[in-house]
C-alpha cells in the first residue's frame, strides 16, 4: 500500500510536471512573440521621437494660460465609502453637483464606462467635507494641477521657456521649473481640485469600471474669472512666444457668474488672442464641457482665433454635436475605433474651417490632435507652420505611457497594445486598411490638403495617475511642431 502510494505520488508529480512543460511549450512562443512585438514598437517610437532634436540654445518660447490649482489625488471608491455614499441604483448625468445623492449618481454614470469627467460642486459645505475626507485618506497625493500649469511643466521639461498665466500661492510657484515665469496674482489659498482616480476593473457596488480614469470635482474661486489675464497680456508682447496655449476654460462651466460677466471675460480673451502676432501659433486645449451656452460662447470667442485644437475621445463628439446643431454629447464610447475618430476629426476640421470662411476673419484651423487610450491621431494642413507631425505623434504616444505609469522610462512588463492589428482610414465602405507595422508604427498619409498621422499607444497596465494625461500628451506633441 505504501509502495503504491509512493508510486502514485511520483507518477502524479511527473504528470503535473509534464502538463506544466507542455503548457509552457505551447504558450511561451506566443508570449515571446508578444514581447518582441512590444519591444519593436517601442524601439520604433523612440527612434521617431528622437528624429527631431530640441535646440538647447534656442529654446522654443511658449505662453500658457489660464489658472491652476492644487490637486488632491485619491482613490475614488475609497473616498465615496469614507463619505458614507452608498452605490446608487440610478446613474445619472448632472451639469453640476448640489448634494451627495447627485455626486453618487454622477460618479456612477461615468465610472462604469470609464469616462473622464469634471464637475463643479455648487455646495461649498459638501466640497469642504470632501476635501477634509480626502486629507485623511491614507495614500492621498498632492500635486500641481490645472491645464495651464500641467502643460507648462511638461513643456519646460521638454526644453521650452514658458510664460504661465495664473494666480498661485508662493508655495505653488516655488516648486515650478526655473524655465517657467509666472504672470498673475499671488493668493493665500489656491483653488483645490479633488481627483477621484480608479483603475480598470474597480468595483463600486454593482458597478465595474471598464478602464482606468478619473472623476474630478472642484469649487473654484479664482480660476473661472481668468484673473491673471491682464498681467499675462502685459508680459505677452515682450515675451514674443512661438506658441500661445489657452486652457482651463472648463472652470467657467456652470459657474454662477453675474449676468453678462462670463461673456465680458471671454470678450477680453478674444481681444487678446486676436492681437497676437501672426507668427505666434495659437492652440486651444478642450476639456469636459456640459454647459451649452458656454460652448456656444467658445465657438464665438475662442475657436475663431486658434490654429490648433487638442481634445480626447469624449470631447471630440461633444464639440462636433454643437456644430451639428444637436445637444451636447455628454458620454461617448471610451474606446472608439480609429476609423470612427478619423471621420469625426475630418468633419470637425471641415466645419470649423467652413465657419471661418463664412466669417471672413480670424484664423483657419490647421492642426487637430485627438488623444485616446489606444492611439494618437493628428491632422495638420500641408504647407502650414506645423512641422514634424510623425515625430510629434510618436512623442505624444510615448508621453501617454510615461505620464500614466509615472515614469520617464517605459517598462514593457507594464504595457500592452490595444489598438487593432490594422485599421480602416474611414467607416465608408471600401476604405483602405492600414496594418500596424512594428518597424514603422506611426502611419502617415496625405488627404485633402492635410496630412494624417496615427500612432498606437503602449497602454500602461499599472496606473499611477490618469489626471493630467491629456495635458501632458498635448503639450508633448506641440513641442516638436513649433
Amino acid at each position: 500500500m505504501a509502495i503504491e502510494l509512493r508510486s502514485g505520488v511520483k507518477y502524479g508529480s511527473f504528470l503535473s510536471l509534464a502538463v506544466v512543460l507542455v503548457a509552457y511549450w505551447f504558450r511561451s512562443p506566443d508570449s515571446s512573440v508578444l514581447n518582441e512585438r512590444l519591444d519593436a514598437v517601442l524601439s520604433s517610437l523612440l527612434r521617431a521621437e528622437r528624429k527631431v532634436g530640441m535646440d538647447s540654445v534656442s529654446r522654443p518660447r511658449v505662453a500658457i494660460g489660464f489658472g491652476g490649482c492644487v490637486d488632491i489625488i485619491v482613490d475614488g471608491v475609497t473616498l465615496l465609502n469614507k463619505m458614507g455614499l452608498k452605490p446608487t441604483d440610478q446613474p445619472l448625468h448632472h451639469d453640476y453637483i448640489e448634494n451627495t445623492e447627485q455626486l453618487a449618481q454622477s460618479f456612477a454614470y461615468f465610472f462604469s464606462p470609464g469616462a473622464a469627467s469634471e464637475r463643479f460642486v455648487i455646495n461649498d459645505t459638501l466640497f469642504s467635507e470632501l476635501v477634509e475626507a480626502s486629507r485623511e485618506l491614507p495614500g492621498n497625493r498632492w500635486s500641481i494641477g490645472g491645464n495651464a500649469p500641467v502643460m507648462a511643466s511638461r513643456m519646460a521639461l521638454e526644453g521650452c521657456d514658458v510664460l504661465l498665466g495664473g494666480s498661485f500661492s508662493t508655495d505653488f510657484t516655488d516648486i515650478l521649473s526655473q524655465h517657467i515665469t509666472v504672470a498673475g496674482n499671488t493668493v493665500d489659498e489656491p483653488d483645490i481640485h479633488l481627483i477621484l482616480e480608479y483603475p480598470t476593473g474597480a468595483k463600486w457596488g454593482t458597478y465595474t469600471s471598464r478602464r482606468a480614469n478619473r472623476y474630478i470635482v472642484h469649487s473654484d474661486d479664482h480660476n473661472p474669472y481668468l484673473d491673471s489675464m491682464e498681467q499675462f497680456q502685459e508680459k505677452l508682447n515682450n515675451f514674443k512666444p512661438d506658441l500661445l496655449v489657452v486652457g482651463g476654460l472648463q472652470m467657467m462651466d456652470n459657474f454662477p457668474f453675474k449676468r453678462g460677466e462670463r461673456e465680458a471675460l471671454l470678450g477680453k480673451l478674444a481681444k487678446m488672442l486676436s492681437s497676437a502676432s501672426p507668427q505666434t501659433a495659437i492652440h486651444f486645449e478642450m476639456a469636459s464641457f456640459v454647459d451649452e451656452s458656454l460652448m456656444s460662447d467658445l465657438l464665438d470667442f475662442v475657436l475663431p482665433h486658434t490654429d490648433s485644437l487638442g481634445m480626447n475621445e469624449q470631447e471630440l463628439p461633444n464639440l462636433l454635436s454643437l456644430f451639428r446643431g444637436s445637444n451636447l454629447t455628454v458620454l461617448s464610447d471610451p474606446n472608439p475605433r480609429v476609423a470612427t475618430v478619423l471621420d469625426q476629426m475630418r468633419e470637425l476640421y471641415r466645419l470649423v474651417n467652413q465657419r471661418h470662411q463664412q466669417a471672413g476673419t480670424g484664423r483657419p484651423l490647421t492642426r487637430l490632435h485627438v488623444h485616446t487610450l489606444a492611439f494618437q491621431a493628428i491632422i495638420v494642413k500641408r504647407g502650414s507652420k506645423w512641422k514634424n507631425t510623425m515625430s510629434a505623434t510618436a512623442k505624444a504616444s510615448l508621453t501617454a505611457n510615461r505620464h500614466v505609469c509615472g515614469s520617464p522610462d517605459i517598462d514593457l512588463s507594464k504595457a500592452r497594445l490595444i489598438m487593432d492589428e490594422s485599421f480602416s482610414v474611414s467607416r465608408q465602405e471600401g476604405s483602405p486598411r492600414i496594418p500596424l507595422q512594428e518597424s514603422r508604427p506611426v502611419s502617415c498619409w496625405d488627404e485633402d490638403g492635410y496630412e494624417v498621422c496615427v500612432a498606437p499607444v503602449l497602454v500602461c497596465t499599472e496606473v499611477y495617475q490618469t489626471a493630467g494625461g491629456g495635458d501632458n500628451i498635448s503639450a508633448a506633441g506641440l513641442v516638436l511642431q513649433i
Side-chain angles (χ1 to χ4, degrees), residues 34 38 200 210-211 373-374 401 411-419 456-461:
L34 181 60
L38 286 175
T200 304
R210 285 170 51 190
R211 56 167 280 192
L373 178 68
N401 180 286
D411 184 349
L412 290 179
S413 69
K414 301 176 182 178
R416 66 187 177 109
L417 288 170
I418 63 174
M419 189 170 128
V457 172
L458 293 163
V459 180
C460 177
T461 57

Side-chain angles (χ1 to χ4, degrees), residues 6-77:
R6 285 197 298 271
S7 298
V9 170
K10 287 181 180 178
Y11 178 75
S13 299
F14 174 78
L15 185 61
S16 298
L17 179 60
V19 168
V20 170
L21 289 174
V22 168
Y24 177 78
W25 178 263
F26 282 104
R27 290 188 181 187
S28 61
D30 291 341
S31 176
S32 176
V33 168
L34 181 60
N35 290 336
E36 288 178 7
R37 184 168 186 248
L38 286 175
D39 187 60
V41 170
L42 174 59
S43 298
S44 300
L45 288 172
L46 289 170
R47 280 197 304 273
E49 178 188 40
R50 289 193 292 261
K51 191 174 180 180
V52 182
M54 293 291 288
D55 187 346
S56 59
V57 177
S58 178
R59 297 170 64 93
R61 299 174 70 79
V62 182
I64 306 177
F66 290 96
C69 61
V70 173
D71 283 347
I72 306 180
I73 305 167
V74 298
D75 179 81
V77 173

Side-chain angles (χ1 to χ4, degrees), residues 426-431:
S426 172
R427 294 181 65 186
Q428 291 185 3
E429 190 174 348
S431 296

Side-chain angles (χ1 to χ4, degrees), residues 404-425:
V404 176
C405 274
S407 170
D409 300 315
I410 295 176
D411 184 349
L412 290 179
S413 69
K414 301 176 182 178
R416 66 187 177 109
L417 288 170
I418 63 174
M419 189 170 128
D420 294 336
E421 297 287 332
S422 66
F423 62 88
S424 293
V425 299

